[in-house]
């Protein structure tokens, strides 16, 4: 179980995607959950990803300015993963 950084809810790790900030202050998606750095999790729900984008949640969490392109990538990734879940169920 991990905490969704946007809603504060505890969810199973498989229902979340990890966002990581490395030592060079680069923020990126970490679908494998194995990249080195400080991580935060977000639920695979487009509405929550869009809320994170609107509130710039990860800027606050990682205390750094993150380019808007990252949030666009995040929303697209979450949308894609949500669609996969609908088509294929919870298998990964």
């Amino acid at each position: 179980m991990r905490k969704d950084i946007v809603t504060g809810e505890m969810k199973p790790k498989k229902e979340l995607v990890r966002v990581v900030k490395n030592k060079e202050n680069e923020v990126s998606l970490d679908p494998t959950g194995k990249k080195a750095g400080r991580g935060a999790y977000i639920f695979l729900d487009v509405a929550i990803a869009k809320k994170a984008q609107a509130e710039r949640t990860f800027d606050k969490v990682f205390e750094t300015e993150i380019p808007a392109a990252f949030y666009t990538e995040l929303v697209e990734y979450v949308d894609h993963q949500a669609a996969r879940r609908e088509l294929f169920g919870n298998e990964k």
Side-chain angles (χ1 to χ4, degrees):
M1 298 289 279
R2 298 287 187 269
K3 185 185 256 186
D4 177 341
I5 203 71
V6 179
T7 65
E9 295 178 39
M10 296 297 283
K11 301 273 187 181
K13 194 174 174 182
K14 286 186 174 189
E15 295 178 14
L16 303 162
V17 65
R18 184 173 185 244
V19 176
V20 67
K21 179 179 106 171
N22 63 19
K23 289 183 181 180
E24 291 78 34
N25 284 336
E26 297 167 331
V27 177
S28 61
L29 293 174
D30 181 15
T32 64
K34 296 179 182 176
K35 284 185 181 178
R38 182 168 171 235
Y41 292 85
I42 184 169
F43 185 58
L44 291 171
D45 182 301
V46 176
I48 293 172
K50 287 184 178 180
K51 182 177 180 183
Q53 182 178 30
E55 297 176 358
R56 299 196 62 85
T57 303
F58 290 100
D59 290 50
K60 297 170 193 161
V61 170
F62 293 131
E63 298 174 344
T64 188
E65 192 172 325
I66 301 170
F70 165 78
Y71 287 102
T72 304
E73 179 186 358
L74 174 67
V75 171
E76 289 172 359
Y77 178 82
V78 169
D79 185 39
H80 177 76
Q81 292 302 316
R84 283 182 56 94
R85 282 182 177 269
E86 283 183 32
L87 287 173
F88 303 113
N90 285 337
E91 38 181 89
K92 213 171 183 189

